[in-house]
Structure formats: structure tokens, C-alpha cells
Amino acid sequence: MMTPDHKHRILILGASGFIGNALYKELCSYFSTFGTYHVTNPAFELNKHFFQYRVEEDDIFEILEAVKPSIIISCLRGDFHAQVIAHRHMAEYVVAHDCKILFLSSANVFDAYSKFPSYEDDKTLSGSIYGHFKIKIENMLMRLPKKKVVIVRLPMIFGTQSPRVKVLKQHIADKTAIEVFPNLIMNVTTDFKLTQQIHYIINRNKHGIFHLGSSDLVHHDDFIMEMVTLITSENVHFKQVYTTNEDRYLAVIPKLNPLPKHLQICSTELLEELNNYMNYNP
Ligand SMILES: NC(=O)c1ccc[n+]([C@@H]2O[C@H](COP(=O)([O-])OP(=O)(O)OC[C@H]3O[C@@H](n4cnc5c(N)ncnc54)[C@H](OP(=O)(O)O)[C@@H]3O)[C@@H](O)[C@H]2O)c1
């Protein structure tokens, strides 16, 4: 249900996380925005727009009834089986109310196909438990009325506060080896660009499947090594991991639903953004 001035009421599941929190900060000045967190945190407890939610134990209906969202954004982690049930309940809510759902999916829904990058209408197929789980929720949501669903498929997301960059920094501090996958060709993105893209999708009332990866492809090892040179000038130990003899792709490229040019990103812009941040926050 929208607010009396016809603004969306947005509920972000996983609003304390890396992406969910970046989305909360991006959207809260424009929409009536609410969020969930999992681990007890005094800052969120004091915020009346935040609800504690444990996907394995709590009933999502209670939060839906309290917030009455016109848009649900799902940025959760947690037990896969419990997440499937929670998304089934959300799907029921979406059908019965004036509400749409935006689900953060992953390039892993294509991880069984390794020879090419993937487009929006390609058939999904995964060899991983994580990929299977994302496909299950995607398929469930795709049975809802088309205009009520947005699925965004994401590659690896890097950003100054991202868990992936924190792990790199930890390896550098501990002087332990950083694993790189020389055969993996992928695209990448940042939380900064992703939140702008999702804001645009909401404003333009878009629906359907969006592939929100960088416009260019990178080799995993080259990209990580470049990123590490931005973080430190010290010698860092890399461990090269070969999972196949041939190159394999894990990349989501837009064809049917491209976003405007200013909302696209290439890997060099991502590295520049990180470099600027490092210069101001050494
Ligand atoms: N990051 C990436 O590179 C990437 C790439 C592709 C797709 N995605 C998808 O994007 C979504 C968000 O990822 P993220 O990197 O932002 O994850 P994250 O930083 O780990 O955040 C996960 C969120 O889920 C909450 N959560 C964790 N366990 C929970 C549980 N048992 N019950 C209820 N809530 C729980 C966390 O709450 P607390 O903060 O309180 O623990 C947090 O708010 C995920 O669905 C992920 O699959 C991410």
C-alpha cells in the first residue's frame, strides 16, 4: 500500500547487510522505507523503521502486516529452506495486495553453463546448491503476475565496505595467500552503482529480469590483483586455483533489458571508484 501522498512504502529484507543497507541509505530519503536485521544491534533496535527478523523462526506475515509495503526488496541470507518458505509467503502477500517484489538473484543461476556469458532469457541451470536455491525462488516468483516481479541477477559485488574487499584486506594484514581463479571470466559491479540502478527500476516502475553486471568482462585473477595493488604496495601472496582446464564464464550481460548508459558500469570505473576511496581513507 502506498503512502497518502502516493509514495511507495518499501520493505528491505536484510537491510543491515552490505547491499540491503546501501539500498536503505539510497532510498530512505525518497520513500517510506523499512528494513529487517538479524543479529541484535542496539542501533537498529532504536530505529522504529527496523524489525528484527530471523528467517528460520519468525513469520514474515507479521512484518508485512505491520509495514504494508508496496515494494518488498529481498536481500536476505540465511538457511536456504527457510528462505524458500519465506519467499512463498511473500509471493502470497504480493498476489493479494497492491505490492511488487524485487529479488536479488545471482549469476550462479547459470553456473552449470561455462562456455558463454548469460542473457536475461537464457534458461537457468546450476551445478551449485546456492545456484539451485536462487533458481527455485526465481521460478516461484516468475509464476506471479509479470508486472509484480523484478529479478536482478548480480555478479560479484565489490565496494569499499563489501565483505569481499574486507576479506582481501584481512589476507593482506595476516600475510596469508589470496585465492585467484585464472580460468574464471566474469563481470563485476559495485554497491554504489547497484543502488542507483535499483532506484531507477523503482522510479520507472519496471518489471522483469535485469542483468546488472559491468559491461566488460574480466579475468578473476587480473581483477583481484589490480584491486590488491590499490590496497597495498606490499608483496602479496596469491594462490592460483584451477577448477577446469578451460576458461569458464560466470557473467550476466543485458540484452533484453539494458539500462541507460549513465547507469552502466565498466570494471575500470569500479577500480577508479575504489582507488578514490582508498586515497581519501588510507
Ligand atoms: N555480495 C555479493 O557479491 C552478492 C552477489 C550476488 C548476489 N548477492 C545476493 O544479495 C543478497 C544480499 O547479499 P549481501 O552481500 O548484502 O549479504 P550480507 O551482507 O551477508 O547481508 C545479509 C542480510 O541478511 C540478514 N540475515 C542473515 N542471516 C539471516 C537469517 N538467518 N534470518 C534473517 N536475516 C538474516 C543479515 O542480517 P545481519 O546483518 O543482522 O546478520 C543481513 O541483513 C543475498 O541474497 C545474496 O545472495 C550478493
Side-chain angles (χ1 to χ4, degrees):
M1 192 189 288
M2 287 198 189
T3 57
D5 53 352
H6 295 288
K7 274 207 233 160
H8 278 297
R9 288 172 71 83
I10 298 182
L11 173 64
I12 302 172
L13 298 173
S16 53
F18 166 49
I19 310 293
N21 203 248
L23 276 170
Y24 185 86
K25 287 180 181 150
E26 168 75 21
L27 300 173
C28 70
S29 320
Y30 303 93
F31 305 101
S32 194
T33 310
F34 300 83
T36 69
Y37 62 99
H38 178 231
V39 176
T40 302
N41 177 330
F44 294 128
E45 271 170 65
L46 292 173
N47 186 333
K48 291 208 163 42
H49 280 222
F50 275 76
F51 299 81
Q52 189 164 35
Y53 171 64
R54 294 145 299 194
V55 71
E56 298 84 1
E57 294 153 48
D58 299 332
D59 187 348
I60 192 64
F61 273 127
E62 282 175 23
I63 297 175
L64 293 170
E65 284 304 328
V67 174
K68 299 193 179 4
S70 56
I71 299 182
I72 302 167
I73 304 181
S74 165
C75 311
L76 276 184
R77 292 200 194 263
D79 178 77
F80 290 168
H81 180 64
Q83 278 200 63
V84 171
I85 294 171
H87 282 83
R88 191 171 302 140
H89 290 164
M90 284 184 253
E92 286 166 17
Y93 183 90
V94 166
V95 169
H97 295 80
D98 183 11
C99 180
K100 71 198 271 191
I101 183 162
L102 190 153
F103 176 62
L104 265 58
S105 188
S106 158
N108 282 81
V109 298
F110 297 112
D111 64 16
Y113 300 119
S114 55
K115 292 201 183 317
F116 307 101
S118 305
Y119 300 99
E120 296 95 325
D121 56 349
D122 286 348
K123 195 172 157 25
T124 52
L125 188 67
S126 169
S128 66
I129 296 171
Y130 175 63
H132 268 272
F133 146 73
K134 289 285 188 189
I135 290 174
K136 196 164 182 174
I137 294 182
E138 280 197 6
N139 288 345
M140 185 200 300
L141 298 180
M142 280 197 262
R143 288 195 284 272
L144 299 181
K146 272 195 168 84
K147 293 199 166 161
K148 286 184 167 250
V149 180
V150 178
I151 291 172
V152 300
R153 296 199 183 117
L154 303 167
M156 287 187 194
I157 306 168
F158 294 88
T160 50
Q161 299 307 312
S162 74
R164 292 176 194 280
V165 171
K166 287 183 183 160
V167 168
L168 290 180
K169 286 181 174 170
Q170 195 59 53
H171 277 297
I172 292 167
D174 297 345
K175 302 197 184 307
T176 48
I178 295 172
E179 284 194 344
V180 291
F181 299 86
N183 285 347
L184 177 60
I185 301 172
M186 58 181 197
N187 58 353
V188 288
T189 192
T190 64
D191 53 333
F192 176 68
K193 190 55 80 177
L194 175 62
T195 53
Q196 290 179 346
Q197 292 168 326
I198 290 182
H199 198 156
Y200 172 86
I201 288 171
I202 292 171
N203 277 347
R204 297 296 167 108
N205 201 16
K206 300 262 178 203
H207 63 271
I209 298 175
F210 292 84
H211 280 191
L212 302 183
S214 57
S215 44
D216 59 334
L217 300 179
V218 291
H219 272 92
H220 184 267
D221 57 345
D222 293 341
F223 185 77
I224 296 294
M225 284 173 185
E226 271 195 63
M227 189 162 275
V228 166
T229 59
L230 299 181
I231 300 171
T232 180
S233 51
E234 284 174 27
N235 257 340
V236 175
H237 184 45
F238 293 98
K239 179 178 166 194
Q240 314 232 336
V241 182
Y242 290 88
T243 51
T244 56
N245 288 330
E246 290 166 14
D247 280 347
R248 68 183 174 99
Y249 287 86
L250 193 62
V252 278
I253 310 275
K255 187 164 65 181
L256 295 177
N257 287 331
L259 295 185
K261 272 260 173 309
H262 73 280
L263 288 172
Q264 295 171 15
I265 188 167
C266 65
S267 60
T268 44
E269 280 171 52
L270 190 165
L271 290 167
E272 273 166 27
E273 191 190 302
L274 195 66
N275 191 25
N276 290 340
Y277 180 85
M278 299 292 174
N279 286 339
Y280 287 106
N281 303 277

